[in-house]
Every structure is written in structure tokens, then in C-alpha cells.
């Protein structure tokens, strides 16, 4: 047994987190920064932070993750990290020459109270930041929220630093994706494109964290939202933000800064989630939904009807980030599946829990929900009340193997499978892919458990 | 004689038909002057003089902010590297959630819980106090205490260790007093480490702190003498991909008993008992020499440097162990095992070698692997153009002979040096002074490590704490056939069209130690340097870019 010590008896824990379903803010900020074209994320803390974040992101994406660090020593921790950050800025512009440095803080620099704008102002005054180069920052203390909070804070920083309003509105719609895969960002853009909607997506990690192998390493890959586009977000006619915990802060900031009205939606996972997105985008942009999307929608509905018997009534455990968990749960319920154990590792507020409760209100079973919770509790629930399927990140495979339960990887991190960064689980086509994955593991299980007599050729 | 020496010193060295000094100057030219001065001292062209003397390299010095290197932090060295692979303790990370999360199962230390009677294994779990802003403001000791209690209530472990992350040191939580209190209360061993990430200049500080902690709180708690005639500890072997299992297989075959491994496949019970071994064998000198030194001073256990990476290095290390014990029975048995194991290894090598001969490698990893793996590349007929450590010290490069010359700077001075004295009852010199002298006269080296540089050719570039810029330049200038580093560098290098072998995680393969490991490595390197994938980067239309057009009348 991999998790041989997990007690079946659930005792309340107040101080000890075991097997977290979240990590800390800075990695989310680093990920978001990678979605700006020509940007080098910078971790203002000790070098372990950036080493861990780069490692985790690299393991997940199997791609280069360039980022720098202030490399605090004990001295810097006592006297402040100004000298380190100044030196870092100088070195980065001299050696690597990005267009933007996106500084995020850490628990270390937050605890000592380093003032990033003041340090950046000094760097400018000292001539260490060349004209035309940008240094933006987000405060991302690791002891508040989680990686999704860090993502949210850095996306909001993009608005704070770049969005400007010239007074002349464009036809573009801002699309702010949550902490999702590059493939998801690409799929959301594709939907806007087939609808003929001009858009600015920020951040945009597609073609950054799923880039090609050409024999030429580019520290700053072709993808990412350009500075020019970021400036122009203030002139867009509206914003659609996808996934509340990750994008609401930026969307609201853009509204109050540049009067760009926003719609804040769930992630477009599954039929209803995608319907809402397409509908809002259609109305905001004033376009009709093209045949191609109607075809995709129809295909998804067709698939649901074709395969419903294998999904109906199946009990599911879902663990992950709040936006994903909510959207996935809604999708599962729409397939007549029963999400019975639900954990979000990140805190997401009372409204969020209420929304989740509403989604599962009619499934006809008691549902365990814990926000924030951890994977030990999730495992304990499963031990006490088994499920037919687990959906979560790679760490769930230890639970899935011990309890012999079919498992679909979704969310962050996925360290052990190919696909997530190339094939989206969003939009109608993404929903079909997700169904394919779910059906694959459920039906593999049926085949595995079938006897010589009950084996089915056609399913 | 003097003239000959002069000639030698002016002789122009080349590296891969290039002038390494010129290459170095080119790479340094990009840096701001102050940075260039600093990096130049960490970027050395090798030249081995008489008695293995090499140029001085600056190492274990502060990372230059903004350059992007490979290093991690003190916490990573302490919790991640040294204590992480010990399966039967609950390791609680005291701090915000990230540090515990990132060090959760990511280092591939295999372990076999069935090899200890209680079967405890907490390595698949991540325990954290998940510190919140309220603890940053009001202190985290109360939460830590409660977390230790909850760990005990839920899991009943025999020991709990606590690892401090950056903010813990800053807000002044006294983890050690909390641990003492909880040890008393729970009646199990509870101990803490002040391994805040900002300490020292790399993981290395964390190794030292971990060594100190284990020595202070665990080593010597159990005096039971384990059965076995030739009883050793293997130090600095972390069982990545099952390396320690392969080494153990060989030891078993030779009749050598392992009392403890630090710390691959390890158990805290074995640490407690490890001072009863008769010899400490060190693999990774950097991460673990401290425990060996302290064990020798306190208990009289001598230590030697060994290397089980490479089939011939393995044979050499086994012979060294046998020579130490000096029993003909063991010497014969070791020879018998080597004779039995080597043919298969040599056959595998001979099969692969025509495809690897002459290929050029670069290795930048760890504090010993960049040295040890040169052995295996040598067996494959491959050349090491350049190598360096992530967190090594001068002695790992130049050998322990330079120890007296190393200046202790402020960052190292902050790491506690334990004062160890002879244990009045338990100190027991394992070999007599006469026997030791006799062995040394025969060329046997105790407490010694020659380092990486004396074994590298003149002209090779030895680079400490390699930066991203330097990596890119080395690749562009030399186009090596293989680059060895870690996960952060992996895809950066591969985007250049050059394979990167991870020598931390082995790219999820292995084992590479010992005899069977060598065979695995030969096949893996053959796969990597001869993969077809590197031919696919250009599409046919890029290779033959003649214009395609249609006639207007079509």
C-alpha cells in the first residue's frame, strides 16, 4: 500500500495539513507571468522558491521555464532584499534582455516587508532599467491563499501596470482565462476566432508552455500577450473572465480603472459551462454563433446521449483548484454522474461553497464538500464511502492505486502523463475529450472486471 | 628540469579544438564587469600539475541574483535531500504550504518499507503546518505544537522531525523548544531543524544542518551490534531509481553487511544504530562528510571515499573495502564477485561503445555526481568537455588537501559546527594505529577525497554554479552530444536539439549504480545520443525549399 497509514477514522485536524491539494502563491504568479510575451518572471525571495516553482512547472509542462531570483542570503533576510533585486534587474537586462520583468514576492520578502515599487523606482533612478523596458510586480505572500491567488494577483498586476484607456473603445473583447492549460487558452481563443470576435487574451501561455522543438531555444517564445495588447485592454468593449478565483480581481480592476464592463463566468468546462461562455461572448460582441460551433455542440450532445449508460449514476470524487472543481462538478452532474466527495485545496469563500452545494443539491446523495480541504481527508472519505471514479491531479494516483479506483488526471500538477498542455478539456470539443478520458477509464475497468462469460465486444 | 616545467606551463591547451581561455573570455564578456570578475573565479580552465594540484576554483559562494542558475535552498538540502528518504519518520514542514508541497515525492528516493519489521513508510505523505498570515503575525509555535499532536494522534509514528522554512526564522518561532516539549509529552523522538531557505548559499547548508541534527538527535541511541562480519555504513547514497538496492545486492553477495544507509532506503532505527559499524563509506562527499567526521571523532569509525557509479569504480571501491578489513576471505570473495559480474557489464559496454565512442558530454549537477558520472562516460569512450557542481565546495573540486586554505565566509559561518568529543565509553578505534599506517603506506587513503579536477584533462572547463547564459553559450559553441543536469535545465537544452540526461532524477530510469546500473546507463546513453528524434527538427520543405507554385491557368 502506498498510503498505508491513512486512517479510516476521520479525526478533525486544525493545524496539520496532510497531502495538500494546493501550493503557494508565487508559482501561480510565475505561471501567469509566462503568459506575457517577452517577460521574465522574477521571484523576490531565496533561490529555493524559484527552483521549486521552475521544477514544478517544468515537470508539468515538459517545457523550459525561464525565471530569475533575488537569491536572498541570511544577510538579505535581515537587511532587506533591495540590493539583491537591484543587482538582479541590472543583470537580467544586461544578459537576458526581456521586455518585461514580472516580480512576485515570497513569504520571505513579504515577512520582512520589502517594498517592490520603491526598489523598482530606485532601479530606474540608478539607470538599471533601460527606457522602454517594464518592471511590474505583484505581492504574493505564500501564507495567504494559494497558487490560484498568486495567479490572480499577477493577472491583476497586468491590468494595474498596463491597461490604459484612450477613450476610444475598440471592438475587442478581453478574455481572461484562469489557471488553466495552454491548450485551454488556445481553445478559448479558437472559439472566439470562429465566432469572428476580435479579442485580447491575457495572460496567454499557449505557444509558450507547449512550444515546438526546432533546434533553437528561445528564452522568450513566440507566444504570450504582447505589451501592446495589454495596453489596449483598457479600450476593449468588454471583458469575459473565466474562473472566478483566478480572474475576478483583474476583471473588476479593469472595470474600475478603464470602465471596461465585465462578465465573470465559470470555466467553460462541459456543455453548460461552454454554453454560457459562447452565449455571453455572442451578446457582448454582437455576433451570431457560427455553424461550426453549433456542430460541435451537437456532437457533444450526441456523445452524451450515446454513452450515457456508462456514466449514469457513477459516483465520483473530485479534488483540485476551486474554479476547475466547480466547473467539473457541474459537468459531471449534467452527465447524471454523482460527485459525492469534493475537495478544493484552496480557500474560495462561502459564496463558492454555496455555488458548489447548489450544483449537487439534486443528485440524491449526501455530498461531502470541504473548501479548503486536503487529500488526506479526501482519501478518508473514499475509504469510508468508495467511489467509481477519481478526478484530480497526479498525486491522486496513490489513492487510486491503493483503493483500485479508475482515475482521470485533471488540474495541476500533472507530472506523469502527456496531453494536458496540447489537448484542451474546455469548450465543446474539450468536453468530448474529457468524456473520452472518463469513459476510457470506466470502460477499461468494466473490461478488466468482466468474466469470460460477460465480456462485451460492442459497448 | 626547471626548463621542462616551464615548457609544460606555457603549453597551449585546447578543448575540442578551441582555445578554452578564449571561449571563457567570450562568455564572460556579456556580464557587467563586477559579475564577470566574480564568475571568472568560478569558471576555471583545468590544468593538473604535480601531485594533482589544480587551479583554485571559487565555490560555495553566493549566487549572483538574476543570472538564473540551478541551485535550490537550504530547506531543500535538509528536508528534501538528506532527511526526505527516511521512510519511518513524519517530516513536518513548518511554514506556508509551498515548501512541503514541492518536496513531496519529487526526488524519486525508492524505499522498501518491508525491510523493517514495523513497515512504516511516510514518504508518500506530505505534512505541513500550512502557515497562514495570522501565524506570521502572532507566531506559529502553537500551531506547530498542535500539528505535532495531530500527526501523533493520526499516525502514531516513532519519530517526528520538523523543518523550518524562511518565515519561521524571521518571526522567531523556537521550533527546537517546541520539539523538546512534544518529545517529552509524546514519549517519541521529536526534533527540529533550523533549515530556513535563506541560510547558506545553496542546498549545501541544508545538508550540513541535516547531518548535525541526525547526529545530535539520533545517532548513538541504539548500541545493539548487528550481526555480520564486515559491517559498514554507506553514506551519501540516496537510492534514486534504486541505486542503493543494487549496491546492497552487491554487498550481500560479497558478505558485507550494511548497518545503515544515509539516507536512501533508510530507517531512523538504522541511523540510531549506525555508530556500531566498523567503516563509513562515503559516496556523495559533499552532502554527508560531516556525519562521517563526527562519527569518527566520537565513536572511532574511520571513513573512506567510495564510488559505485561505473563498473570499474564499483570494483575499485569493493576492493578498497576488502583491503580495509584485510581478511583474505573477504578479499577473495570480492574478487570472485567482480569476476562474476564484470563480463556481463563489459559485454554490454562493448556492444554499445562503437555508437558512443568519441561523443562529448557536459555535466553540471549536484556535489558529486558531476564527478562520478565521468567514470561511466569514460567507460563508454565519451569525453567530458566541461563539468561543474551546483552546490559543491572547493574540496569537491580540488580535493580535501585544500581544506586548510578555504576561507570561511559569513554565509558558512552561520551554519553551526558541532563540537564533538570522544565518547568516554563508546569510543572504539576500529583499527590500530599500526594497521592504519601500514594501509596508508600501501597507498590506502583514509578520510580523503581527491576531488573532480585532478581526474579531468587539462583544458576542460570546470564551472561552478553554472548560469543559464553560460549553459546557452556552451551549447552554441561546443554543440556537445549530451548535456547532464536537472529538470529545470532539461527542456531548455533539448530545445537546442541536444539531449539532456537528468542526473538528479535519472529521467525516471535507473538504477545506474553498481554493475547492473552501469549496464542500464550504457543503454540509456546509447538511446539518447543516437535517438532519431534529433533528425526530425527540419521539415522536408525546409530541407528543400524550392518554390512551389501553380500556373495561373490551373
Amino acid at each position: 500500500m502506498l498510503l498505508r497509514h491513512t486512517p479510516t477514522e476521520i479525526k478533525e485536524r486544525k493545524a496539520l495539513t496532510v497531502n495538500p491539494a494546493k501550493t503557494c502563491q508565487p508559482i501561480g504568479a510565475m505561471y501567469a507571468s509566462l503568459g506575457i510575451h517577452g517577460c521574465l518572471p522574477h521571484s523576490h525571495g531565496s533561490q529555493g522558491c524559484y527552483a521549486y516553482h521552475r521544477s514544478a512547472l517544468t515537470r508539468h509542462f515538459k517545457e523550459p521555464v525561464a525565471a530569475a531570483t533575488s537569491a536572498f542570503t541570511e544577510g538579505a533576510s535581515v537587511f532587506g532584499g533591495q540590493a539583491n533585486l537591484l543587482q538582479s534587474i541590472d543583470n537580467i537586462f544586461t544578459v537576458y534582455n526581456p521586455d518585461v520583468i514580472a516580480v512576485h514576492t515570497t513569504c520571505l520578502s513579504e515577512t520582512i516587508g520589502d517594498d517592490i515599487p520603491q526598489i523598482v523606482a530606485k532601479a530606474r533612478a540608478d539607470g538599471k532599467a533601460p527606457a522602454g523596458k517594464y518592471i511590474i510586480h505583484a505581492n504574493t505572500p505564500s501564507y495567504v491563499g494559494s497558487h490560484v491567488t498568486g495567479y490572480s494577483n499577477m493577472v491583476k498586476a497586468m491590468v494595474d501596470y498596463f491597461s490604459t484607456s484612450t477613450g476610444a473603445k475598440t471592438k475587442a473583447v478581453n478574455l481572461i482565462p484562469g489557471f488553466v492549460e495552454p491548450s485551454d487558452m488556445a481553445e478559448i481563443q479558437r472559439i472566439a476566432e470562429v465566432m469572428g470576435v476580435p479579442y485580447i487574451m491575457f495572460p496567454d501561455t499557449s505557444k509558450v508552455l507547449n512550444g515546438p522543438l526546432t533546434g533553437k531555444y528561445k528564452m522568450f517564445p513566440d507566444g504570450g500577450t504582447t505589451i501592446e495588447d495589454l495596453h489596449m485592454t483598457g479600450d476593449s468593449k468588454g471583458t469575459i473572465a473565466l474562473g472566478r478565483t483566478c480572474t475576478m480581481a483583474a476583471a473588476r480592476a479593469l472595470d474600475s480603472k478603464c470602465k471596461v464592463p465585465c462578465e465573470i463566468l465559470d470555466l467553460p468546462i462541459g456543455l453548460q459551462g461552454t454554453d454560457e461562455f459562447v452565449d455571453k461572448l455572442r451578446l457582448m460582441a454582437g455576433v451570431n454563433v457560427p455553424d461550426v460551433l453549433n456542430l460541435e455542440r451537437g456532437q457533444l450532445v450526441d456523445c452524451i446521449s450515446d454513452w450515457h449508460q456508462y456514466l449514469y449514476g457513477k459516483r465520483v470524487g473530485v479534488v483540485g483548484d476551486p474554479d476547475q472543481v466547480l466547473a467539473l462538478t457541474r459537468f459531471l452532474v449534467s452527465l447524471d454522474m454523482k460527485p459525492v466527495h469534493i475537495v478544493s485545496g484552496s480557500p474560495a469563500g462561502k459564496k463558492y461553497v454555496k455555488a458548489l452545494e447548489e450544483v449537487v443539491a439534486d443528485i440524491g446523495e449526501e455530498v461531502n464538500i470541504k473548501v479548503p480541504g486536503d487529500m488526506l481527508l479526501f482519501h478518508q472519505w473514499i475509504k469510508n464511502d468508495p467511489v467509481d471514479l477519481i478526478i484530480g491531479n497526479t498525486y491522486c494516483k496513490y489513492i487510486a492505486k491503493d483503493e483500485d479506483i479508475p482515475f482521470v488526471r485533471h488540474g495541476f500538477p500533472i507530472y506523469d502523463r502527456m496531453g494536458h498542455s496540447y489537448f484542451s478539456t474546455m469548450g465543446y470539443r474539450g468536453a468530448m475529450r474529457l468524456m473520452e478520458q472518463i469513459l476510457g477509464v470506466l470502460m477499461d475497468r468494466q473490461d478488466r472486471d468482466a468474466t469470460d462469460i460477460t465480456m462485451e465486444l460492442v459497448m | 628540469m626547471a626548463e621542462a616545467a616551464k615548457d609544460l606551463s606555457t603549453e597551449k591547451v585546447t578543448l575540442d579544438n578551441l582555445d578554452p581561455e578564449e571561449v571563457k573570455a567570450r562568455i564572460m564578456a556579456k556580464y557587467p564587469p563586477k559579475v564577470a570578475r566574480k564568475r571568472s573565479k568560478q569558471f576555471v580552465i583545468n590544468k593538473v600539475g604535480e601531485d594533482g594540484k589544480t587551479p583554485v576554483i571559487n565555490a560555495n559562494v553566493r549566487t549572483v541574483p538574476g543570472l538564473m542558475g540551478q541551485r535550490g535552498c537550504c530547506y531543500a538540502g535538509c528536508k528534501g535531500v538528506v532527511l526526505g528518504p527516511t521512510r519511518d519518520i513524519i517530516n513536518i514542514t513548518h511554514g506556508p504550504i509551498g515548501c512541503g508541497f514541492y518536496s513531496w515525492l519529487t526526488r524519486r528516493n525508492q524505499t522498501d518499507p518491508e525491510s523493517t519489521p514495523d513497515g512504516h513508510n511516510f514518504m508518500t505523505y506530505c505534512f505541513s503546518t500550512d502557515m497562514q498570515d495570522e501565524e506570521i503575525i502572532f507566531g506559529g509555535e502553537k500551531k506547530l505544537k498542535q500539528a505535532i499532536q495531530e500527526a501523533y494522534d493520526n499516525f502514531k509514528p516513532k519519530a517526528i522531525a520538523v523543518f523550518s522554512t524562511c518565515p519561521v526564522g524571521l518571526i522567531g518561532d523556537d521550533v527546537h523548544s517546541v520539539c523538546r516539549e512534544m518529545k517529552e509529552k509524546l514519549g517519541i523522538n521529536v526534533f527540529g531543524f533550523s533549515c530556513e531557505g535563506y541560510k547558506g548559499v545553496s542546498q549545501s547548508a541544508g545538508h550540513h544542518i541535516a547531518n548535525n541534527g541526525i547526529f545530535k538527535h539520533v545517532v548513538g541511541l541504539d548500541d545493539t551490534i548487528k550481526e555480520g562480519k564486515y559491517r559498514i555504513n554507506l553514506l551519501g547514497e540516496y537510492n534514486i531509481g534504486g541505486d542503493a538496492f543494487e549496491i546492497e545486492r552487491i554487498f550481500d553477495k560479497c558478505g558485507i553487511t550494511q548497518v545503515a544507509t544515509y539516507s536512501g532506503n533508510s530507517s531512523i532505527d538504522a541511523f540510531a544504530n549506525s555508530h556500531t559499524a566498523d567503516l563509513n563509506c562515503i559516496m556523495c562527499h559533499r552532502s554527508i562528510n560531516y556525519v562521517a567526521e563526527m562519527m569518527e571523532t566520537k565513536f572511532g569509525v574511520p571513513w573512506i571515499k567510495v564510488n559505485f557509479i561505473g563498473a570499474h569504480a564499483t570494483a575499485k571501491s569493493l576492493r578498497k573495502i576488502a583491503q580495509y578489513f584485510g581478511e583474505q576471505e573477504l578479499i577473495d570473495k570480492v574478487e570472485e564477485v567482480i569476476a562474476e559480474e564484470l563480463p556481463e557489464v563489459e559485454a554490454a559496454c562493448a556492444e554499445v561503445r562503437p555508437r558512443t565512442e568519441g561523443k562529448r558530454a557536459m555535466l553540471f549537477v549536484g556535489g558529486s555526481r558531476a564527478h562520478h558520472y565521468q567514470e561511466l562516460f569514460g567507460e563508454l569512450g565519451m569525453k567530458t568537455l566541461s563539468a561543474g557542481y551546483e552546490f559543491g565546495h572547493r574540496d569537491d573540486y580540488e580535493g580535501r588537501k585544500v581544506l586548510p586554505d578555504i576561507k570561511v565566509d559569513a554565509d558558512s559561518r552561520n551554519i553551526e559546527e558541532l563540537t564533538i568529543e570522544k565518547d568516554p565509553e563508546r569510543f572504539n578505534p576500529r583499527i590500530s594505529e599500526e594497521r592504519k599506517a601500514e594501509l596508508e603506506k600501501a597507498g590506502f587513503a583514509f578520510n580523503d577525497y581527491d576531488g573532480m579536477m585532478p581526474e579531468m584533462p587539462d583544458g576542460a572547463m570546470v564551472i561552478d554554479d553554472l548560469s543559464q547564459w553560460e549553459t546557452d553559450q556552451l551549447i552554441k559553441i561546443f554543440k556537445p552530444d549530451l548535456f547532464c543536469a536537472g529538470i529545470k535545465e532539461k527542456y531548455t537544452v533539448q530545445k537546442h536539439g541536444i539531449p539532456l540526461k537528468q542526473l538528479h532524477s535519472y529521467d525516471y530510469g535507473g538504477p545506474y549504480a553498481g554493475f547492473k546500473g552501469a549496464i542500464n546507463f550504457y543503454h540509456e546513453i546509447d538511446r539518447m545520443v543516437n535517438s532519431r528524434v534529433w533528425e526530425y527538427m527540419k521539415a522536408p520543405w525546409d530541407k528543400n525549399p524550392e518554390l512551389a507554385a501553380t500556373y495561373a491557368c490551373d
Side-chain angles (χ1 to χ4, degrees):
Chain A
M1 295 285 272
L2 294 159
L3 298 164
R4 53 179 64 198
H5 301 283
T6 300
T8 307
E9 187 200 342
I10 300 171
K11 291 184 185 149
E12 203 202 347
R13 282 172 287 125
K14 288 199 173 104
L16 185 70
T17 295
V18 186
N19 299 351
K22 65 167 180 181
T23 179
C24 63
Q25 281 211 49
I27 195 172
M30 186 180 283
Y31 179 55
S33 309
L34 290 164
I36 301 176
H37 180 71
C39 176
L40 187 70
H42 184 96
S43 165
H44 189 52
S46 59
Q47 62 195 349
C49 307
Y50 101 132
Y52 274 144
H53 304 146
R54 292 178 67 201
S55 298
L57 291 170
T58 306
R59 288 181 181 121
H60 177 86
F61 292 110
K62 318 292 182 206
E63 288 289 317
V65 174
T69 175
S70 295
F72 274 48
T73 56
E74 192 148 9
S77 308
V78 176
F79 301 112
Q82 169 165 307
N84 293 53
L85 185 51
L86 289 176
Q87 203 193 343
S88 206
I89 290 169
D90 187 21
N91 287 335
I92 289 169
F93 282 128
T94 309
V95 181
Y96 301 113
N97 198 25
D99 298 327
V100 191
I101 299 175
V103 181
H104 59 262
T105 57
T106 58
C107 47
L108 174 54
S109 54
E110 284 290 333
T111 305
I112 62 178
D114 272 355
D115 180 352
I116 306 298
Q118 174 263 317
I119 299 174
V120 170
K122 180 152 172 53
R124 291 245 176 249
D126 294 353
K128 294 191 192 312
K133 301 284 182 180
Y134 296 89
I135 303 172
I136 68 170
H137 97 286
N139 292 95
T140 51
S142 321
Y143 43 78
V144 174
S146 75
H147 57 295
V148 297
T149 323
Y151 181 92
S152 167
N153 286 338
M154 186 52 85
V155 180
K156 179 177 174 291
M158 294 173 198
V159 172
D160 294 342
Y161 277 93
F162 292 118
S163 302
T164 38
S165 165
T166 62
K169 288 281 173 204
T170 67
K171 288 190 171 144
V173 171
N174 298 321
L175 297 172
I176 312 180
F179 192 140
V180 298
E181 295 288 339
S183 56
D184 298 327
M185 297 190 188
E187 177 62 10
I188 293 163
Q189 292 177 65
R190 189 191 65 89
I191 292 173
E193 272 157 26
V194 298
M195 289 172 72
V197 178
Y199 66 88
I200 297 171
M201 173 174 280
F202 73 97
D204 177 10
T205 60
S206 63
K207 291 183 248 164
V208 176
L209 288 163
N210 56 4
L213 179 60
T214 61
K216 279 205 182 84
Y217 167 62
K218 289 181 179 171
M219 182 176 282
F220 307 108
D222 295 340
T225 315
T226 62
I227 304 295
E228 194 187 358
D229 276 356
L230 283 170
H231 283 310
M232 284 171 58
T233 53
D235 286 336
S236 295
K237 68 191 296 189
T239 298
I240 295 184
L242 300 165
R244 264 157 237 275
T245 57
C246 284
T247 61
M248 190 163 73
R252 292 259 168 91
L254 194 48
D255 189 356
S256 55
K257 185 179 180 186
C258 302
K259 305 283 170 292
V260 181
C262 61
E263 290 283 354
I264 295 154
L265 307 178
D266 291 342
L267 286 173
I269 292 176
L271 182 67
Q272 281 85 352
T274 308
D275 278 352
E276 271 175 36
F277 168 58
V278 171
D279 202 34
K280 281 285 187 286
L281 186 59
R282 165 184 78 95
L283 293 170
M284 190 177 274
V287 297
N288 292 318
V289 176
D291 288 347
V292 60
L293 277 189
N294 281 315
L295 173 66
E296 286 172 17
R297 187 182 188 281
Q299 286 172 328
L300 172 61
V301 175
D302 189 63
C303 286
I304 297 173
S305 92
D306 290 348
W307 300 97
H308 181 258
Q309 73 188 87
Y310 300 97
L311 302 167
Y312 176 79
K314 289 282 190 294
R315 309 174 82 248
V316 192
V318 185
V319 57
D321 296 342
D323 295 337
Q324 274 83 348
V325 164
L326 179 61
L328 276 173
T329 302
R330 178 165 290 150
F331 183 40
L332 294 171
V333 171
S334 78
L335 298 172
D336 286 324
M337 300 179 82
K338 295 182 171 186
V340 288
H341 306 311
I342 305 172
V343 165
S344 156
S346 304
K350 282 189 190 134
K351 269 194 198 157
Y352 172 84
V353 177
K354 203 156 169 263
L356 206 46
E357 283 167 352
E358 276 166 16
V359 172
V360 294
D362 297 329
I363 68 165
E365 283 213 45
E366 279 286 305
V367 177
N368 289 314
I369 295 175
K370 184 91 172 138
V371 182
D374 61 26
M375 285 201 212
L376 178 72
L377 177 66
F378 183 68
H379 188 185
Q380 288 177 309
W381 281 342
I382 289 171
K383 273 184 177 295
N384 284 288
D385 184 13
V387 289
D388 303 300
L389 174 70
I390 294 172
I391 302 180
N393 69 28
T394 285
Y395 283 100
C396 290
K397 82 171 169 185
Y398 288 75
I399 302 173
K401 183 153 195 268
D402 274 0
E403 308 300 336
D404 195 23
I405 295 170
F407 167 41
V408 168
R409 286 162 183 78
H410 194 273
F412 178 85
I414 297 175
Y415 288 154
D416 61 337
R417 288 295 186 276
M418 182 193 142
H420 47 89
S421 52
Y422 301 99
F423 307 113
S424 174
T425 56
M426 301 200 179
Y428 300 118
R429 297 213 306 209
M432 280 190 264
R433 173 160 188 269
L434 201 48
M435 273 183 69
E436 184 202 0
Q437 287 182 306
I438 292 171
L439 286 162
V441 298
L442 290 176
M443 295 165 86
D444 279 349
R445 174 55 52 96
Q446 184 178 326
D447 287 345
R448 189 197 82 177
D449 292 348
T451 65
D452 292 358
I453 297 164
T454 61
M455 187 71 174
E456 295 291 343
L457 174 73
V458 183
M459 291 169 89
Chain B
M1 187 69 194
E3 259 178 39
K6 198 176 154 201
D7 281 345
L8 204 71
S9 67
T10 53
E11 192 186 337
K12 194 120 183 121
V13 288
T14 59
L15 180 64
D16 215 33
N17 299 321
L18 293 169
D19 173 3
E21 289 290 356
E22 191 272 325
V23 169
K24 174 183 169 179
R26 224 193 304 166
I27 295 175
M28 293 296 124
K30 182 83 173 174
Y31 290 139
K34 240 175 101 175
V35 175
R37 273 200 299 281
K38 178 169 176 159
R39 289 298 303 150
S40 288
K41 293 182 203 152
Q42 290 173 270
F43 194 126
V44 168
I45 312 304
N46 198 37
K47 189 158 184 65
V48 186
E50 280 171 56
D51 304 333
K53 220 171 138 44
T54 62
V56 173
I57 185 165
N58 215 18
N60 192 37
V61 291
R62 287 184 185 176
T63 307
V64 181
L67 280 200
M68 283 194 252
Q70 306 178 328
R71 287 171 165 178
C73 66
C74 181
Y75 165 87
C78 184
K79 193 270 182 182
V81 174
V82 180
L83 268 301
T86 308
R87 64 177 167 266
D88 51 357
I89 14 178
I90 284 193
N91 286 332
I92 300 178
T93 299
H94 184 37
I97 198 66
C99 307
F101 177 84
Y102 302 116
S103 56
W104 177 20
L105 280 171
T106 44
R107 265 186 56 84
R108 293 196 74 230
N109 317 101
Q110 294 187 359
T111 202
D112 177 12
E114 312 313 331
S115 60
T116 30
D118 58 30
H120 282 195
N121 178 19
F122 296 104
M123 280 168 62
T124 47
Y125 293 84
C126 165
F127 303 91
S128 170
T129 55
D130 187 12
M131 219 174 214
Q132 300 296 304
D133 45 357
E134 142 189 354
E135 282 96 42
I136 298 293
I137 299 164
F138 301 109
E141 290 179 15
K142 212 173 116 196
K143 191 173 194 185
L144 175 60
K145 220 176 284 180
Q146 176 72 18
I148 294 171
Q149 184 68 49
E150 289 173 1
Y152 181 78
D153 293 345
N154 276 285
F155 301 101
K156 296 284 175 313
K158 52 193 173 196
I160 295 174
V162 174
F163 299 85
S164 307
T165 64
C166 293
V168 170
L170 295 178
I171 62 173
D173 275 2
D174 186 350
V175 298
H176 305 286
S177 86
V178 170
C179 288
R180 273 194 302 275
E181 187 188 326
M182 294 310 284
K183 180 178 179 176
E184 189 107 321
K185 183 177 175 197
L186 302 174
I188 60 166
N189 200 356
V190 183
F191 47 98
F193 295 87
S194 290
C195 53
E196 288 84 353
Y198 56 75
K199 288 200 170 152
V201 300
S202 70
Q203 294 94 310
S204 178
H207 303 147
H208 194 166
I209 290 168
N211 278 234
N212 288 349
I214 303 176
F215 197 78
K216 245 198 307 203
H217 298 289
V218 185
V219 174
L221 291 180
D222 172 14
D223 290 330
T224 317
I225 308 262
K226 200 175 170 181
E227 241 175 82
K229 206 164 171 192
Y230 311 109
R231 290 167 318 108
I232 65 160
N233 296 321
L234 184 61
L235 270 55
E237 161 44 59
Y238 299 104
N239 204 20
I240 306 295
D243 276 354
F245 294 142
E246 164 64 3
I247 299 171
E248 204 173 320
R249 179 189 73 83
I250 299 168
F251 283 162
D252 280 350
K253 232 172 145 179
C254 295
I256 296 166
T257 305
Q258 258 190 100
V259 180
T261 312
Y262 284 73
S263 54
N265 190 34
S266 68
S267 115
I268 189 161
D269 297 337
F271 291 162
N273 185 239
S274 59
H275 63 297
T276 63
D278 293 322
L279 178 68
N280 277 328
C281 300
I282 295 192
M283 278 279 283
C284 174
H285 171 259
R286 181 68 272 132
S287 59
I288 211 87
N289 73 83
Y290 320 92
V291 152
E293 295 269 328
M294 292 187 282
M295 242 193 260
E296 177 157 33
T297 312
K298 189 168 178 181
F299 299 105
V301 188
W303 71 265
I304 58 171
K305 175 77 177 71
V306 293
N307 175 21
F308 291 98
I309 301 297
H312 294 98
T314 299
K316 199 171 143 193
S317 296
L318 290 172
R319 288 185 176 120
K320 199 168 170 185
I321 294 168
Q323 193 187 357
Y324 165 79
F325 285 104
E327 299 269 343
Q328 198 56 44
E329 163 206 55
L330 180 63
I331 294 168
D332 291 346
K333 188 69 202 175
V334 159
E335 289 306 328
E336 190 189 313
V337 169
I338 293 170
E340 202 180 300
E341 298 272 339
L342 267 188
E344 197 192 337
V345 183
E346 278 164 353
C349 189
E351 197 274 318
V352 167
R353 192 160 163 149
R355 294 185 297 277
T356 52
E357 184 86 54
K359 302 261 186 205
R360 300 148 315 129
M362 294 183 172
L363 299 83
F364 295 93
V365 66
S368 70
R369 289 179 193 265
H371 177 197
H372 290 164
Y373 275 81
Q374 293 185 31
E375 255 329 295
L376 275 170
F377 288 121
E379 288 172 3
L380 288 169
M382 291 173 65
K383 280 187 284 199
T384 301
L385 296 183
S386 184
Y389 298 126
E390 208 177 320
F391 49 78
H393 297 198
R394 272 186 67 196
D395 39 323
D396 304 305
Y397 287 103
E398 302 169 57
R400 284 177 69 93
K401 58 185 176 295
V402 302
L403 278 176
D405 305 332
I406 296 180
K407 282 186 240 116
V408 180
D409 61 13
D411 298 306
S412 297
R413 207 171 297 123
N414 291 340
I415 312 303
E416 189 186 14
E417 278 287 349
L418 297 183
T419 316
I420 305 295
E421 280 165 14
K422 261 187 201 175
D423 189 289
E425 278 115 49
R426 296 183 292 176
F427 181 85
N428 163 27
R430 302 307 204 268
I431 58 167
S432 66
E433 284 301 320
E434 298 80 64
R435 165 98 179 115
K436 194 173 176 186
E438 191 185 309
L439 277 170
E440 278 172 340
K441 206 172 156 197
F444 191 95
F446 283 100
N447 302 25
D448 201 19
Y449 174 40
D450 287 338
M452 168 205 280
M453 289 165 77
E455 289 184 14
M456 288 184 73
D458 288 357
M461 296 198 288
V462 184
I463 310 171
D464 182 60
D465 185 22
L466 185 81
S467 74
Q468 172 70 47
W469 165 252
E470 292 156 18
T471 307
D472 272 358
Q473 293 306 302
L474 289 180
I475 287 172
K476 283 183 186 152
I477 295 167
F478 290 98
K479 299 187 178 56
D481 298 291
L482 183 71
F483 201 94
C484 302
I487 183 69
K488 299 190 296 299
E489 297 76 37
K490 169 121 186 150
Y491 303 100
T492 305
V493 170
Q494 294 199 163
K495 289 284 184 198
H496 283 287
I498 286 165
L500 184 143
K501 180 67 194 165
Q502 291 188 63
L503 288 185
H504 291 284
S505 72
Y506 296 173
D507 291 312
Y508 327 107
Y512 296 141
F515 298 114
K516 298 228 181 300
I519 297 172
N520 290 338
F521 194 77
Y522 302 153
H523 289 309
E524 171 67 353
I525 297 308
D526 182 23
R527 175 189 76 78
M528 292 190 86
V529 299
N530 295 304
S531 166
R532 290 190 171 92
V533 70
W534 312 113
E535 298 162 15
Y536 302 154
M537 289 179 290
K538 273 209 176 356
W541 47 91
D542 290 326
K543 289 180 195 159
N544 303 302
E546 65 266 22
L547 280 178
T550 50
Y551 293 104
C553 58
D554 277 356

